[in-house]
Amino acid sequence: MIYADNAATTKMSKAAIDTMFRLVNDTWGNASSLYSVGQTSKEVLEQAREDIANLIGAEPKEIIFTSGGSEADNQAILSAAKIGASKGKKHIISSAFEHHAVLHTLERLKEDGFEITLLDVHEDGIIREDELEDAIREDTCLVTIMYANNEIGTVQPISRLGEICKKHNVLFHTDAVQAIGHIPVNVNDDNVDMLSASAHKFHGPKGVGFLYVKKGIRVTNLINGGAQEKGRRAGTENVPGIAAMAVALKEAVESLSENYENVSKKRDCLIEGLSKIEHSALNGDAKKRLPGNVNFCFEGIEGESLLLLLDDKGIMASSGSACTSGSLDPSHVLLAIGRVHDVAHGSLRLTINEETTDEDVEYIIKAVDEVVTYLRSFSPIWRDLVAGKKQFIL
Amino acid sequence: MALYSEKVMDHFRNPRNVGVIEDADGVGEVGNAKCGDIMKMYLKIDNDIISDVKFETFGCGSAIASSSMATELIKGKPISEAMELTNKAVAEALDGLPDYKMHCSVLAEEAIKSALDDYHSKQGK
């Protein structure tokens, strides 16, 4: 079996599992309780906060633990919107290929009278600095741009974009869910005011994440109740999960350079191998992308069939395919980079990691080639393309 | 629970009647690439009986399985019976399809009707 869907989720690391198991037993006390069992939990919780803060160049009090990336995105955007609205600023800038945790939150703000500008992400999946600067207005209260795209893996010039926001005195949030632990992330170097992260994307547990908020920025509480997280997020803390997240992030950051080199080499081999399949195309810039991300379109076939047949061959992958999500529209990310519907339906996302071997890479290339050829053999579109009745797009 | 029934997966993995009939008596193509599904049906008809049927499909697992099952359901049957094939019958024969995939069975029904229409219009000439 080859797991090539690490952008969907990662397997927990042994150290994270061990930490979690141990702490389910050792830190069962409520971190808000004053007696020693509770205080033990509190100490573990605060240590995790400090560790995570150190790993991204933040201060401990700037870290708010959440249920994951989606909650962090919601909280960051709604907080900035509230601050903006109080000053009469109701314009937000984002990009067309953000995660739905961002896009749907922005849709909701639209109903409340906010104006949203979505920046073009171009054919290479990269936002242009000058286009951000041009889009900033007097009433812009927030710019929210993902660090790296979850489908095509393209990495944005976050530090430069942050600098522009700073210059114009606009809050800058980044959804770093796919980036953190995989490429260097530092809130100071990156000029970000808010940053979202999710543990299960870097070998931590599911249901845990965090939001970094630079001190001085007023945070809107989404979950009302107790005074946990300094009143910024109510609910008894998931101490074992949070501590396991800290351990996983520490491991990921410590082995980042080594993994980056190793994984991106395999990524490049995959890209090279899959490019040999005729009428195929890589989605997103070939180099400015996450080390483990490969995303292709194959003309004349549909993504779900490709995934099911790859699964039969022991390869677990993903697609922006309409059919897998239950909607008829193909991936909004692929449409945003200008792929037409006909081609966007035939997409494949492979997200490998440090455990992927050279043999796996070879096997994947061979398997994808076989399945694409097979599906094309009875595709009426492919027949028309080959017969010259239709023009090839790729 | 798996995404699809065993029967859907069987017809998806081993589709029946795949291919082209070069001298088909009726050909029908439905769907469009924009929506992600295209089905093409080829019929050979002798004495009002569907003596042979082949299909080509661009689409998801359930689209391929629906095409395959539909061809099985009409092969060797009189035209009158094939005209009455419903998408429900195709879906039922596959032990059901997820709700959001029912349109695949509709396409299969439409593809057969389209091929039969083509046959009838050619006969009319």
Side-chain angles (χ1 to χ4, degrees):
Chain A
M1 293 294 249
I2 300 173
Y3 184 69
D5 203 13
N6 286 280
T9 195
T10 57
K11 197 169 93 178
M12 274 180 79
S13 75
K14 189 177 178 303
I17 293 172
D18 289 348
T19 301
M20 203 159 157
F21 269 42
R22 181 170 53 78
L23 292 178
V24 164
N25 200 37
D26 292 355
T27 63
W28 56 269
N30 189 322
S32 301
S33 302
L34 295 179
Y35 40 78
S36 55
V37 174
Q39 286 306 301
T40 305
S41 299
K42 181 80 177 166
E43 279 162 29
V44 171
L45 179 70
E46 294 313 320
Q47 187 59 53
R49 197 186 309 278
E50 197 181 318
D51 291 346
I52 287 172
N54 285 337
L55 291 165
I56 62 166
E59 287 179 27
K61 64 179 173 195
E62 295 175 317
I63 304 293
I64 302 170
F65 293 124
T66 67
S67 63
S70 294
E71 186 189 328
D73 283 341
N74 274 258
Q75 190 166 20
I77 293 167
L78 295 174
S79 296
K82 196 166 179 191
I83 296 167
S86 72
K87 298 175 186 164
K89 294 181 168 190
K90 295 182 89 170
H91 176 237
I92 297 175
I93 300 169
S94 188
S95 82
F97 72 172
E98 294 296 310
H99 190 274
H100 286 118
V102 168
L103 289 178
H104 289 170
T105 306
L106 295 177
E107 277 301 313
R108 216 172 92 184
L109 287 172
K110 228 177 182 173
E111 291 165 17
D112 296 337
F114 278 80
E115 215 183 307
I116 313 294
T117 300
L118 297 182
L119 296 175
D120 190 356
V121 295
H122 299 268
E123 227 174 280
D124 56 4
I126 309 281
I127 284 158
R128 303 297 189 261
E129 293 157 31
D130 56 331
E131 289 178 7
L132 169 64
E133 190 142 27
D134 291 348
I136 293 177
R137 314 190 312 210
E138 277 299 309
D139 62 342
T140 306
C141 64
L142 171 71
V143 172
T144 171
I145 302 288
M146 67 201 320
Y147 211 117
N149 183 267
N150 52 315
E151 283 187 34
I152 61 172
T154 49
V155 179
Q156 306 307 315
I158 289 299
S159 173
R160 289 280 308 121
L161 299 177
E163 220 174 286
I164 292 164
C165 293
K166 227 181 206 174
K167 188 173 123 192
H168 293 272
N169 209 13
V170 176
L171 285 179
F172 183 44
H173 164 252
T174 185
D175 171 345
V177 165
Q178 294 290 339
I180 196 159
H182 302 282
I183 53 175
V185 170
N186 180 295
V187 293
N188 299 311
D189 300 348
D190 295 335
N191 299 311
V192 299
D193 296 308
M194 294 186 276
L195 176 146
S196 309
S198 177
H200 76 102
K201 306 292 190 187
F202 50 80
H203 303 289
K206 285 152 192 69
V208 193
F210 67 87
L211 172 64
Y212 156 81
V213 182
K214 190 182 241 156
K215 60 184 171 220
I217 297 171
R218 196 175 165 76
V219 176
T220 301
N221 193 356
L222 300 188
I223 300 178
N224 299 297
Q228 290 90 353
E229 301 300 300
K230 297 193 190 302
R232 297 172 297 181
R233 205 273 187 185
T236 303
E237 303 88 342
N238 170 10
V239 177
I242 290 167
M245 165 164 70
V247 166
L249 187 59
K250 190 155 185 277
E251 276 186 310
V253 170
E254 277 169 359
S255 43
L256 196 146
S257 333
E258 188 191 331
N259 287 344
Y260 186 94
E261 209 186 306
N262 162 24
V263 179
S264 54
K265 243 182 229 161
K266 294 193 173 95
R267 171 200 69 194
D268 293 344
C269 287
L270 261 178
I271 291 175
E272 201 194 324
L274 295 176
S275 297
K276 287 181 185 147
I277 297 176
E278 56 177 350
H279 303 291
S280 68
L282 177 71
N283 293 313
D285 191 274
K287 288 294 173 191
K288 290 177 195 157
R289 65 194 301 132
L290 290 171
N293 179 291
V294 175
N295 190 312
F296 266 83
C297 278
F298 301 100
E299 198 161 7
I301 63 160
E302 196 279 336
E304 191 208 74
S305 309
L306 174 59
L307 291 190
L308 291 171
L309 292 174
L310 287 178
D311 185 32
D312 281 351
K313 290 176 181 285
I315 299 168
M316 289 170 268
S318 156
S319 134
S321 158
C323 281
T324 50
S325 63
S327 99
L328 283 181
D329 284 326
S331 142
H332 72 289
V333 173
L334 297 180
L335 296 179
I337 61 164
R339 293 283 183 225
V340 295
H341 278 68
D342 310 45
V343 170
H345 281 295
S347 62
L348 172 69
R349 179 185 74 180
L350 296 158
T351 42
I352 57 170
N353 72 2
E354 58 281 1
E355 286 177 15
T356 312
T357 65
D358 290 333
E359 289 73 37
D360 292 342
V361 168
E362 255 174 64
Y363 180 78
I364 291 172
I365 294 169
K366 193 170 152 271
V368 172
D369 188 15
E370 280 169 14
V371 173
V372 168
T373 304
Y374 166 71
L375 287 172
R376 280 173 174 172
S377 75
F378 60 92
S379 159
I381 295 188
W382 185 252
R383 171 175 300 281
D384 286 351
L385 289 166
V386 171
K389 287 183 194 164
K390 268 188 197 148
Q391 290 285 314
F392 280 107
I393 298 166
L394 302 180
Chain B
M1 210 192 91
L3 175 63
Y4 293 129
S5 71
E6 282 293 321
K7 250 202 187 133
V8 171
M9 286 310 291
D10 176 37
H11 275 264
F12 167 63
R13 289 188 179 115
N14 312 294
R16 280 64 146 178
N17 306 308
V18 171
V20 178
I21 300 174
E22 294 295 350
D23 58 342
D25 298 312
V27 180
E29 184 175 312
V30 293
N32 65 67
K34 208 175 171 224
C35 295
D37 292 299
I38 295 183
M39 279 182 204
K40 197 166 183 179
M41 291 274 176
Y42 302 84
L43 302 177
K44 194 80 199 148
I45 293 169
D46 294 307
N47 299 321
D48 284 349
I49 301 282
I50 297 170
S51 57
D52 198 10
V53 49
K54 296 264 190 235
F55 81 90
E56 288 183 308
T57 291
F58 160 87
C60 60
S62 67
I64 292 170
S66 295
S67 324
S68 167
M69 180 54 86
T71 60
E72 285 235 298
L73 290 173
I74 61 161
K75 198 171 178 177
K77 299 279 164 61
I79 290 175
S80 56
E81 250 182 71
M83 278 304 279
E84 276 164 25
L85 180 78
T86 63
N87 79 295
K88 259 190 154 172
V90 174
E92 271 166 26
L94 288 167
D95 291 339
L97 286 172
D99 282 349
Y100 65 97
K101 297 284 190 178
M102 282 305 283
H103 70 275
C104 294
S105 63
V106 174
L107 273 184
E109 177 193 322
E110 287 173 357
I112 287 169
K113 296 224 159 88
S114 164
L116 286 169
D117 284 349
D118 181 53
Y119 167 70
H120 284 131
S121 68
K122 277 177 182 158
Q123 291 299 104
K125 272 179 203 165

